[in-house]
Amino acid sequence: MAKLSIKGLIESALSFGRTLDSDYPPLQQFFVVMEHCLKHGLKVRKSFLSYNKTIWGPLELVEKLYPEAEEIGASVRDLPGLKTPLGRARAWLRLALMQKKMADYLRCLIIQRELLSEFYEHHALMMEEEGAVIVGLLVGLNVIDANLCVKGEDLDSQVGVIDFSMYLKNEEEIGNKERNVQIAAILDQKNYVEELNRQLNSTVSSLHSRVDSLEKSNTKLIEELAIAKNNIIKLQEENHQLRSENELILMRTRQHLEVTKVDVETELQTYKHSRQGLDEMYNDARRQLRDESQLRQDVENELSVQVGMKHEIELAMKLLEKDIHEKQDTLIGLRQQLEEVKAINIEMYQKLQGSEDSLKEKNEIIARLEEKTNKITTAMRQLEQRLQQAEKAQMEAEDEDEKYAQECLSKSDSLQRQISQKEQQLVQLETDLKIEKEWRQTLQEDLQKEKDVLSHLRNETQQIISLKKEFLNLQDENQQLKKIYHEQEQALQELGSKLCESKLKIDDIKEANKALQGLVWLKDKEATHCKLCEKEFSLSKRKHHCRNCGEIFCNACSDNELPLPSSPKPVRVCDSCHAMLIQRCSSNVP
């Protein structure tokens, strides 16, 4: 009954117009049949007051499975005249038909059979394969436009009874309806091809927008690569500067070592008698040599680390360039595929125009053939009427007297002549009917050709879908490349921070090497307060070494500069050493 009601709806809509109202009897019968299909095998839910058996429960599940159905559920709940769940279910079916999404909603329900088992028995129609067949038939209702007024109807108290008299038809009506079905099938195929063309146009436009976004992202990546290259060049220049400064530091330390060696030799020659003093000086010199060798090893290790980091940066740059070249190749391939899709779309449009013209010509031929058949049927009826009149005239002539025998004979001769003429006309009409049959056969062959063209178009749509999937895969690869690029940028930033730290350490080493003259330098971590003013060090109060005594002071207590014997240039000295050195100089001057 569901198949008959759906077919009857589509045929009547195609013959009387595609927009249907709520008063249309086939449409009302369709809703009654769908209600019976959904009620088949429903589980009875017991409550304290009564037994409940409605189809509103499974229809509410559609909102969870299909997000677009939330609007229908909300509008059904907001309707003021509905009081029972059965009335809400009837309103839901009418709104789904108006939206042309009844098949999609019910397909979501049939797929989730585990959820449906809460509402239906195992032998129910919705739980078996016949339910999927009915959902497939409902797809054909998307051709129909329905204008239904749900607010005014009394959906709660309607009685759903199937009227079987609507589906009992004569043979002549079935033949006429088969013709109408063929014409409707041709129109539906045309609408299907137009919808396919619209979908293809939308996909092509979306591909265009995605290609533009990919080109923009590619330009951004190229700009970011150029910035990264500039940063690497700057880091290389800073690395060269650090190397040159390190070499200068090594040269100076070597000179200091040579000077200390000469001093040690002279002191050994002059102070041979005082061996204890010499041993102490020798031990101090040995400690200084160990400290300087350790500093030198630390500097060399930092240089080797920086060289390794530089090699890693160069490798990362090469990988980035390879990725960019691969992206450019994929963009070229995508553009070629887009051009091919455009060419296919133009061919499809030309074929559609040709098929539309052929359909128009065939419709005109069918109209002419129908006019000819109508003329032939009218002529046959006239002939039959004339034959009946002639038979009546013969019967009257036999009943009459012998006097009118000659007149009857003459009349019968004239009638025989007319009959022969009419037989000739019948032969001509039979030849015309044969010609019409041949025309119909040619039309059927043309329809088969159009079906082949439609199958070819479907294959092309499948190819376009595969192109979509490839494009989505390319987008995923692009996102992965972006992630790799961000990680490399973070690595470069970490490199820059490490280089800055190494530069600060080298500056500290420079100051330490300049002041190394046989003195024991205090470590920065050991000193927390200034030795003179005893104030705590902070970010504003920084630490400074005295180049004479090696102790750590604040800026206010060590803002003096004097030339020392080890360095001719003026060097930072604390206040106590400054006063002591000035007194020595004044005592030595005569």
Side-chain angles (χ1 to χ4, degrees), residues 181-193:
V181 166
Q182 289 178 357
I183 294 163
I186 292 164
L187 291 170
D188 290 333
Q189 288 174 358
K190 182 184 173 184
N191 291 324
Y192 179 70
V193 171

Side-chain angles (χ1 to χ4, degrees), residues 48 55 73 80 92 113 118 284 298 464 485:
F48 291 106
I55 58 173
W92 190 92
R113 292 192 178 178
E118 296 179 2
D284 293 335
D298 293 334
I464 289 164
Y485 181 71

Side-chain angles (χ1 to χ4, degrees), residues 15 45 86 110 186 199 248 261 298 319 344 433 532 587:
S15 58
R45 295 199 171 188
L86 183 61
I110 288 169
I186 292 164
Q199 289 178 358
L248 288 171
K261 282 180 182 179
D298 293 334
L319 289 169
I344 290 163
L433 284 169
L532 287 175
S587 61

Side-chain angles (χ1 to χ4, degrees), residues 437-451:
K437 286 180 180 178
E438 291 175 355
W439 273 105
R440 286 182 181 177
Q441 288 178 357
T442 54
L443 284 170
Q444 287 178 354
E445 290 175 355
D446 292 330
L447 283 170
Q448 287 180 355
K449 289 179 182 178
E450 287 177 356
K451 286 179 181 178

Side-chain angles (χ1 to χ4, degrees), residues 10 17 27 119 144-145 148 218 237 263 288 350 399 486 502 546:
I10 294 167
L27 186 62
F119 299 96
I144 299 169
D145 294 328
L148 306 174
N218 193 8
E237 289 175 358
D263 292 335
Q288 288 177 2
Q350 290 175 357
D399 293 333
H486 287 304
S502 63
C546 178

Side-chain angles (χ1 to χ4, degrees), residues 142-201:
N142 294 334
V143 182
I144 299 169
D145 294 328
N147 293 322
L148 306 174
C149 184
V150 184
K151 288 183 179 179
E153 290 188 11
D154 186 11
L155 298 174
D156 293 326
S157 61
Q158 283 184 2
V159 180
V161 179
I162 300 171
D163 187 7
F164 293 98
S165 63
M166 293 178 66
Y167 306 106
L168 300 171
K169 299 177 181 179
N170 296 323
E171 292 181 356
E172 291 180 358
E173 291 178 357
I174 290 164
N176 292 324
K177 286 191 175 179
E178 284 179 356
R179 289 180 188 172
N180 292 327
V181 166
Q182 289 178 357
I183 294 163
I186 292 164
L187 291 170
D188 290 333
Q189 288 174 358
K190 182 184 173 184
N191 291 324
Y192 179 70
V193 171
E194 287 176 356
E195 288 179 358
L196 274 177
N197 194 8
R198 287 172 190 165
Q199 289 178 358
L200 288 170
N201 287 324

Side-chain angles (χ1 to χ4, degrees), residues 114-131:
E114 294 178 356
L115 297 173
L116 279 178
S117 62
E118 296 179 2
F119 299 96
Y120 288 99
E121 301 289 344
H122 62 90
H123 63 275
L125 186 71
M126 296 294 285
M127 298 292 286
E128 293 183 355
E129 294 180 357
E130 293 178 355

Side-chain angles (χ1 to χ4, degrees), residues 368-377 379 424-440:
R368 290 174 188 171
L369 289 170
E370 286 177 352
E371 289 176 358
K372 285 182 181 179
T373 52
N374 291 323
K375 288 177 182 178
I376 289 161
T377 52
Q424 290 176 359
Q425 288 178 358
L426 280 169
V427 171
Q428 289 178 358
L429 288 169
E430 286 176 355
T431 54
D432 291 329
L433 284 169
K434 287 180 182 178
I435 291 164
E436 286 179 359
K437 286 180 180 178
E438 291 175 355
W439 273 105
R440 286 182 181 177

